[in-house]
Amino acid sequence: MPSLNFTTGEDPLSLDRIRSVLVRLEDTIIFSLIERAQFAHNPRMYQKDAFKELTDLGFHGSWLEWFLKEIETFHAKARRYTSPDEYPFSSDLPAPVLPLLDFPKILYPNKINANPSILSFYTNAIVPRITRRATLSLAAQKRAHGITGSAEFEDDGNYGSAATLDVEILQSISKRVHYGKFVSESKFVENPAAFIPHIRSRNREALEGLITKPEVERKLLVRLHKKATTYAQDIVGDGEAPVNGVGKSSASSKIDVDCVVDLYESYIIPLTKEVEVDYLLCRLDGLSQEEINNLSKPKAS
């Protein structure tokens, strides 16, 4: 998964470096969504206490929550969540078994974690949409074998494979959203005086205006559509992607391209802005008036 290397001595708040990570995360998210779209919805995976096998173990959550807990338990032992850009979905994780790395103090102390919102939106809005084609195909196969009614829809039984991809998507979206903190810190450090009055007055709209670049967002969505359209295509025998309608059905069957764009436009971008503003609103916490005054002074040229 794309990440900044916080131990190289390079500036971790360089907007160019941050943007390069975010662009690479687009690829990770799109490819993982395409893979998940090959399986049916399997709504049972997202329902609490739907698996007796888990309740017998004393776990009272969904299959996906259990999967996350198990995977994140291992990752926590490997010190994944000591990195400034990693946020777990699970709680009560074990301590690392490896010595901690000496990460530089990059972000201001905060407790912002958008993962509960990400998990809820993903399971309730994204999974049903990206798996629609696979779900309908499964229903047709079941009807061909005499299975009709509610039994013909949604469940293909691939709980392990589907959940593995769910975890990859969730972790990638989480990293992407929480990188908003690095963007906010970079912009704040560059010009604290522009932010401080709005932080002190708790003016979310003004803070969002300072961090929002409409043209950058527009280009991002155009780039996403092009990437998703390209990645969703099958390459034909001569190595060329299908064009002029040839092979279009196989391309369109991989994923709903508009869903990928809508995921960013309607959810990832707005939630990232929320994280960015929430981070800025706590940026002065614990600072003395003198420290705030010093930050407010114009930088020497």
Side-chain angles (χ1 to χ4, degrees):
M1 183 181 295
S3 178
L4 286 178
N5 188 337
F6 298 104
T7 60
T8 61
E10 297 180 69
D11 181 9
L13 293 179
S14 162
L15 286 177
D16 287 339
R17 293 189 71 215
I18 293 171
R19 288 191 190 103
S20 71
V21 172
L22 298 183
V23 170
R24 297 201 310 275
L25 275 169
E26 293 170 10
D27 296 339
T28 303
I29 292 171
I30 293 171
F31 279 121
S32 297
L33 287 170
I34 289 172
E35 290 301 309
R36 178 62 183 90
Q38 308 313 302
F39 297 99
H41 181 186
N42 298 332
R44 186 184 177 209
M45 291 170 45
Y46 312 107
Q47 299 164 1
K48 292 186 182 297
D49 295 330
F51 286 79
K52 183 178 182 298
E53 296 86 348
L54 298 186
T55 57
D56 287 346
L57 295 174
F59 186 87
H60 297 281
S62 69
W63 173 263
L64 178 57
E65 288 170 333
W66 176 75
F67 224 79
L68 278 165
K69 180 78 170 185
E70 292 293 304
I71 290 174
E72 291 184 338
T73 293
F74 170 74
H75 288 177
K77 291 179 180 179
R79 68 187 176 198
R80 176 173 186 169
Y81 303 111
T82 65
S83 176
D85 61 342
E86 295 285 358
Y87 297 83
F89 286 83
S90 310
S91 57
D92 302 321
L93 294 173
V97 299
L98 295 171
L100 299 185
L101 294 174
D102 186 20
F103 290 113
K105 301 298 181 184
I106 303 167
L107 298 177
Y108 197 73
N110 69 92
K111 296 182 179 179
I112 299 164
N113 188 330
N115 282 348
S117 296
I118 293 171
L119 179 61
S120 176
F121 180 83
Y122 175 74
T123 57
N124 289 300
I126 296 302
V127 175
R129 184 170 175 182
I130 64 173
T131 60
R132 181 174 179 272
R133 292 186 181 124
T135 298
L136 292 175
S137 176
L138 174 67
Q141 294 175 33
K142 288 186 175 182
R143 288 195 299 273
H145 290 84
I147 302 172
T148 60
S150 59
E152 73 185 60
F153 280 103
E154 296 182 332
D155 199 316
D156 62 13
N158 288 302
Y159 306 132
S161 298
T164 298
L165 293 166
D166 285 337
V167 170
E168 291 178 6
I169 296 168
L170 286 167
Q171 290 176 336
S172 298
I173 293 176
S174 174
K175 183 184 287 286
R176 203 282 179 197
V177 167
H178 289 104
Y179 256 103
K181 297 182 184 183
F182 292 90
V183 175
S184 286
E185 180 66 15
S186 178
K187 293 183 177 180
F188 177 87
V189 170
E190 179 65 25
N191 188 11
F195 290 90
I196 287 175
H198 303 307
I199 295 174
R200 303 192 78 172
S201 64
R202 315 296 290 179
N203 190 334
R204 297 187 66 94
E205 184 176 350
L207 290 171
E208 183 173 326
L210 288 172
I211 60 177
T212 298
K213 303 293 184 184
E215 182 60 19
V216 172
E217 292 179 9
R218 187 194 69 80
K219 290 180 179 178
L220 183 156
L221 295 175
V222 170
R223 183 174 66 245
L224 272 172
H225 191 276
K226 289 181 178 179
K227 283 185 176 182
T229 301
T230 301
Y231 299 162
Q233 297 183 70
D234 285 319
I235 304 302
V236 294
D238 58 2
E240 296 293 331
V243 293
N244 299 325
V246 180
K248 186 171 289 187
S249 61
S250 65
S252 63
S253 67
K254 277 191 174 184
I255 198 168
D256 179 350
V257 171
D258 290 336
C259 174
V260 177
V261 178
D262 187 52
L263 169 61
Y264 264 78
E265 184 174 20
S266 301
Y267 192 72
I268 290 181
I269 292 175
L271 184 58
T272 302
K273 289 182 184 179
E274 286 184 31
V275 168
E276 290 174 353
V277 173
D278 287 342
Y279 177 83
L280 289 168
L281 287 173
C282 72
R283 186 56 179 80
L284 304 180
D285 292 353
L287 296 182
S288 67
Q289 186 60 53
E290 180 181 2
E291 290 172 317
I292 294 174
N293 290 342
N294 288 335
L295 283 172
S296 301
K297 292 178 182 178
K299 287 188 175 183
S301 57

